[in-house]
Structure formats: C-alpha cells, structure tokens
C-alpha cells in the first residue's frame, strides 16, 4: 500500500509570518503544500494570487499542490506552471471543456487535478477519470477554512474509488475541508490518498507534532 500523504493548507497559516510557516512545513513530515487560490467569483472569498505564490515557491521545498477556486481557469494555466505549481487542480463546476483543460495542464508539465463541490456527483468524472491525476473531493463548501466536515464525503470517496479501480486509472483521491485526527483514519479507510488540513495544523499549539500525528494516523494499519 502506498503511503498516505498530508498536505497542510497555507490558507490557515499566518500570512505575516509566511516564511516561518513554510519552513515549519519543510521541516515536518508533511508531503505537499496545499495552496488555495480564490477569485471572489467562483467562491465568495478572495485569498491570494500570483505574487504570493511566487513568494511561497521561493521557500517551499515540497510539492506545490495548487487548488484553483476560480472561473475560467484556462486563462492562467501557463502562468501557474511558470510560478512553480506541480499539481494544478481546477473545479469541475468551473470548466466547460474539462477534458481539454486537463490536457492543457499536462502539456505544461503539471499533474492535472479536478475538484468537486459537495453537491457534485463523482459519477460525472467517469468519462475522464483516466485523464485525471488527482480528484479533490471537497468535504466543505469551498471558500473558507475552518468549516465543519460534511459526512456524506465517505460515500463519495468509496464510489470514486470504485470508479478508479474499474477504469484502472492512476488517480489519487484528495480530501479537502474539515480534516482532523478524528476523521483521518476513516477517510483513508474509505479510499483517500491525500489529506489536506488547514486550521487543524496551523491553529494547533504544536503544528509539527500535529502533522506528525496526522501522518501516523493516516498510515496506521
Ligand atoms: C477551502 C479550501 C481548503 C481549506 C481547508 O475552500 O479549499 O483547502 O484551506 O481548511 P480547513 O482544513 O481549515 O477546513
Ligand atoms: Zn483547498
């Protein structure tokens, strides 16, 4: 069994001490940096954009997992590649020509991800599943950190796993929103490969220890 990955979401970091928080993640047992880009249109919030990503990339020494919560993401694919994104995830609900968008992301040398909102059925991904490197199953409504986990997510993960196995697809399942040490094991059991955690990591007293523990729980038998 492949090792399960932990991706702290910098949305919950202290932006006035961004370098310090990035170094903490570099030092930790975390695997990826999860980076949330919001445009105030696709979601009712604006997070940060290109100059901040550029600053993150200067210090981050792990995979940059960029989650775009923006409309018409095709406009910026090349730019995100140039800014150092390793994984680029677009929202299913924001793409009219998803298959084409996935090919464009890959042609820029990045892994291509699709995120789905809580109301979007995983079955809608069947026809492109072989083209998707990772699916972000949103376990909260996108736009804000610190929300509570939506329980139906477990069913979605199980169904998505079936689809991936049936199609012999290489797709990883990533869970985003409300992840804690209490649901981590159940998420992995349902089929999750990557756990994003924002508030749970950055609002903790000891973030390094929290990451270590989450990684241990996710990979325990
Ligand atoms: C929500 C973002 C998440 C968020 C998770 O729109 O996509 O990545 O940072 O934050 P927590 O872990 O606090 O729910
Ligand atoms: Zn996210």
């Amino acid at each position: 069994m492949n090792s399960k990955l932990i991706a702290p979401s910098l949305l919950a970091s202290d932006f006035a001490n961004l370098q310090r928080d990035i170094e903490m993640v570099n030092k930790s047992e975390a695997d990826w940096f999860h980076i949330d880009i919001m445009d105030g249109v696709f979601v009712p919030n604006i997070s940060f954009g290109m100059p901040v990503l550029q600053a993150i990339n200067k210090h981050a020494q792990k995979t940059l997992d960029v989650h775009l919560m923006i409309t018409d993401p095709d406009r910026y694919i090349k730019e995100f590649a140039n800014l150092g994104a390793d994984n680029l995830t677009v929202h299913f609900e924001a793409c009219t020509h998803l298959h084409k968008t996935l090919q464009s992301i890959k042609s820029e040398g990045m892994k291509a991800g699709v995120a789905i909102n809580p109301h979007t059925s995983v079955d809608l991904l069947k026809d492109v599943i072989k083209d998707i490197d990772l699916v972000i199953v949103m376990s909260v409504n996108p736009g804000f950190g610190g929300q509570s986990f939506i329980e139906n997510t477990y069913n979605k993960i199980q169904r998505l796993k079936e689809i991936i196995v049936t199609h012999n697809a290489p797709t990883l399942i990533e869970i985003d929103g409300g992840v804690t040490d209490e649901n981590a094991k159940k998420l992995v059991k349902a089929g999750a490969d990557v756990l994003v955690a924002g508030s749970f990591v950055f609002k903790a007293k000891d973030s390094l220890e929290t990451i270590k523990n989450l990684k241990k729980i996710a990979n325990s038998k």
Side-chain angles (χ1 to χ4, degrees):
M1 192 172 82
N2 288 336
S3 121
K4 305 299 173 188
L5 309 181
I6 305 299
S9 168
L10 287 178
L11 186 67
S13 68
D14 177 356
F15 294 158
N17 288 289
L18 193 50
Q19 186 178 352
R20 180 200 68 191
D21 285 359
I22 291 169
E23 299 295 358
M24 182 281 291
V25 177
N26 283 339
K27 252 198 342 209
S28 77
E29 290 185 26
D31 301 277
W32 295 354
F33 285 88
H34 184 82
I35 298 161
D36 292 301
I37 311 281
M38 305 178 185
D39 67 354
V41 179
F42 180 70
V43 287
N45 194 13
I46 300 175
S47 55
F48 49 77
M50 279 70 171
V52 176
L53 180 56
Q54 194 172 24
I56 292 170
N57 191 29
K58 254 202 258 164
H59 302 288
Q61 288 162 3
K62 297 179 177 181
T63 295
L64 296 187
D65 179 45
V66 177
H67 176 193
L68 298 183
M69 283 158 273
I70 66 174
T71 57
D72 199 4
D74 297 72
R75 293 172 292 167
Y76 301 113
I77 291 173
K78 216 183 179 67
E79 206 168 333
F80 280 108
N82 292 338
L83 286 168
D86 297 292
N87 306 337
L88 194 66
T89 295
V90 295
H91 261 266
F92 175 86
E93 303 83 6
C95 294
T96 314
H97 303 287
L98 182 61
H99 180 269
K100 189 167 161 232
T101 303
L102 293 170
Q103 305 315 320
S104 309
I105 294 173
K106 290 182 183 176
S107 73
E108 293 296 333
M110 297 176 287
K111 299 272 186 206
V114 177
I116 51 171
N117 279 340
H119 73 274
T120 301
S121 167
V122 293
D123 281 276
L124 292 166
L125 300 178
K126 270 194 295 203
D127 291 319
V128 280
I129 196 71
K130 283 200 124 169
D131 299 292
I132 306 177
D133 293 309
L134 65 97
V135 173
I136 296 185
V137 178
M138 291 307 302
S139 39
V140 297
N141 284 295
F144 301 91
Q147 305 179 76
S148 50
F149 180 84
I150 297 172
E151 292 291 321
N152 183 50
T153 306
Y154 301 112
N155 298 329
K156 293 181 75 169
I157 299 171
Q158 279 168 356
R159 176 69 191 129
L160 179 57
K161 188 77 188 177
E162 275 172 25
I163 294 171
I164 290 169
V165 170
T166 309
H167 290 80
N168 202 13
T171 322
L172 294 178
I173 302 178
E174 178 169 347
I175 311 305
D176 190 7
V179 171
T180 67
D181 57 354
E182 281 175 20
N183 54 22
K185 187 72 232 167
K186 200 167 163 196
L187 289 168
V188 166
K189 280 214 166 122
D193 302 292
V194 187
L195 302 179
V196 174
S199 334
F200 185 66
V201 164
F202 288 101
K203 308 296 178 221
K205 263 211 189 84
D206 187 341
S207 298
L208 267 182
E209 196 56 34
T210 303
I211 292 172
K212 187 176 176 188
N213 193 36
L214 209 50
K215 178 90 181 169
K216 197 165 126 201
I217 294 172
N219 286 285
S220 66
K221 287 251 152 49

